[in-house]
Amino acid sequence: MEKVGGENPTRINKYACACAIVASMISIIFGYDTGVMSGAMIFVKEEFKINDAKTEVLAGILNLCALVGSLCAGRTSDYIGRRYTIMTASLIFLCGSVLMGYGPSYAILLVGRCVAGVGVGFALMIAPVYSAEVSSPSSRGFLTSLPEVGISIGILLGYLSNYIFSGYSLRLGWRIMLGIAAVPSLFLAIGILKMPESPRWLIMKGRVGDAKKIMYKVSNDPQEAEFRLREIKQAVGIDENCDEDVVKIPDSVKSQGEGIWKELLLRPTPSLRWILIAGVGIHFFEHATGIEAVILYSHKIFDKAGVHDHKHQILATVGVGLTKFTFIVLSTLLIDKVGRRKLLLTSLTGMVVTLTGLGIFLTLAEHSGGKLVWALVLSIITTYAFVMFFNIGLGPVTWVYSAEIFPLKFRALGAGIGVAVNRLMNATVSMSFLSISAAITTGGAFFLFAGISVVALIFFYFFLPETKGKSLEEMEAVFTRCRRSENVNKEVEIGKC
């Protein structure tokens, strides 16, 4: 295969892959917490005698605190580096897990969720950014989607933990489920020190010599390494022929924190504004379409569908976890071949159909009082089908796309804003689903999500151009070219630029 942009597209660099896998370990821990809470809530509610409102707060408070963490993580990673930000996320999550495992009261459990939430915000922002920055363009989709694979593995492990520990005593079972996550958090905080720093961050700090050593390791050959280094130097404002190990960074780059918010949010260029809309929009729709309702409250959905035994409900959620993991892996293998845009459009089309079907079948099942067995069966099947379509596209592509489209100067901040919106919508859905279901029925809630999915499909079609095979330094040009095409011919399909 011919080289494109100085890279060797025939294979994935093993060292870069190892870096992305280690960075994705923090996502496994977060995914575990999300999955395990689904089952743990059943027993927490029973022990502390809390109502649905407090249950929703317990489920959603982690994501509100993650919003704070993600906004802090952008600036933190620019100051201390991507690697130490991952370590910070691990340590914060470790403290939160210990508090949740201790959990003598609802209040302490809530505090533990808040602390863990801050760590989650750090993790969700930094893992995809780090993976994107060590990857070659031809393998970036695969490596940057590994954190989402990690989340899926963690959710599945959380569901399995629910099933294994549900047989323990009421006071002990859910505490083990929640507290055991502290162990891998500790090991990751220590192991992360063996990882190299992002070469792009090192160049941004003027450490060209260190960046060059790492770039040679994460590239398939010297020509690719040199090409990638030249592109980053140009983006930062360093002479591409400069061979000094340490260089003085231009003042415009060095002082990027002094007004970068204004430059991104208040005075963006047309292409940067489009990038911001695309990055924020994809994060908004990832959770506005209802996936968290299925992940956190699948036991409630299965209860409405006629599965009333707690053990059987938890076992059914394991099927959700397996479906999520299977199709995340499939998407990871396809994303660099098929492209981000095709996977997104396929995913949203399937989500519209399955959410509509789930709304219909749950409504019929509820109104029949559980007598329509076929409606119960189809409710469960469409739940799995919805998870399948979400994870073949929207789930993994969201993190790949938002991590790769922002220019280097704005990448950490832009990714942080995207994750903040992501967590806000996650919290909104997780803290309101039970109330919405009570107001308009569970089936009605999924009709609402189906309508939002239609809006998302239209947004993705018109506003998200394909980024497959483009280097990180080319992204702004991708959006600029699309805008120029739009100005020349108003009938152009923007998303296909």
Side-chain angles (χ1 to χ4, degrees), residues 269-312:
T269 62
S271 58
L272 186 58
R273 184 185 299 113
W274 190 357
I275 289 172
L276 182 62
I277 291 171
V280 169
I282 195 170
H283 274 292
F284 173 87
F285 284 116
E286 184 190 18
H287 286 289
T289 48
I291 187 62
E292 199 66 14
V294 174
I295 297 299
L296 268 179
Y297 299 110
S298 51
H299 60 282
K300 288 275 187 182
I301 297 170
F302 293 134
D303 180 61
K304 294 292 184 182
V307 182
H308 302 300
D309 181 72
H310 284 343
K311 195 83 171 180
H312 290 160

Side-chain angles (χ1 to χ4, degrees), residues 346-382:
T346 300
S347 174
L348 263 296
T349 302
M351 287 167 61
V352 170
V353 174
T354 52
L355 282 168
T356 302
L358 184 55
I360 293 171
F361 299 134
L362 280 176
T363 300
L364 291 173
E366 286 186 78
H367 283 208
S368 71
K371 294 179 182 178
L372 293 178
V373 178
W374 62 268
L376 304 179
V377 173
L378 287 176
S379 295
I380 296 174
I381 291 174
T382 47

Side-chain angles (χ1 to χ4, degrees), residues 66-82 85-86 118 121-127 129 133 201 204-205 256-257 260-261 264 408-420:
L67 186 156
V68 177
S70 63
L71 290 175
C72 294
R75 294 298 298 276
T76 301
S77 68
D78 278 342
Y79 281 121
I80 68 175
R82 313 322 194 198
T85 304
I86 296 175
V118 175
F122 271 78
L124 288 175
M125 175 265 152
I126 195 59
V129 167
E133 291 189 343
W201 181 83
M204 198 166 65
K205 295 300 179 181
Q256 63 175 304
I260 191 172
W261 283 90
L264 180 61
L408 178 59
K409 180 179 178 181
F410 303 100
R411 185 167 301 135
L413 178 59
I417 292 172
V419 172

